[in-house]
Amino acid sequence: MADIATVPSTKTLMGLWLRHKTECRPIGGIVSDARAGRLAGIRQLDSGFGFEVIDQAAALASMRKEGI
């Protein structure tokens, strides 16, 4: 069982992707879309490094592979 401190939060883009990566596109394209403002349900963190999920359903819909 994973230590709770090592499991990324679903409040971050990476954490959400890790929990759903079998149904999502590769992370490189997702991050590129997020940086360009084309990914629904996320916002850039105040630090400027990383993204926060503000609407999980919208973010997952934007991250899913075609046909799923």
Side-chain angles (χ1 to χ4, degrees):
M1 189 163 131
D3 181 359
I4 194 72
T6 63
V7 178
S9 168
T10 54
K11 292 182 180 183
T12 65
L13 181 61
M14 183 60 78
L16 184 63
W17 180 80
L18 283 171
R19 293 181 194 278
H20 297 276
K21 70 181 181 179
T22 59
E23 62 197 78
C24 291
R25 300 180 285 129
I27 192 64
I30 291 170
V31 170
S32 178
D33 286 350
R35 287 181 179 151
R38 294 188 302 258
L39 194 69
I42 61 108
R43 71 171 191 88
Q44 191 163 19
L45 293 172
D46 293 336
S47 67
F49 298 99
F51 298 91
E52 175 184 25
V53 176
I54 55 174
D55 183 338
Q56 186 170 333
L60 277 174
S62 297
M63 294 166 53
R64 284 209 166 91
K65 295 176 185 172
E66 294 291 322
I68 291 184

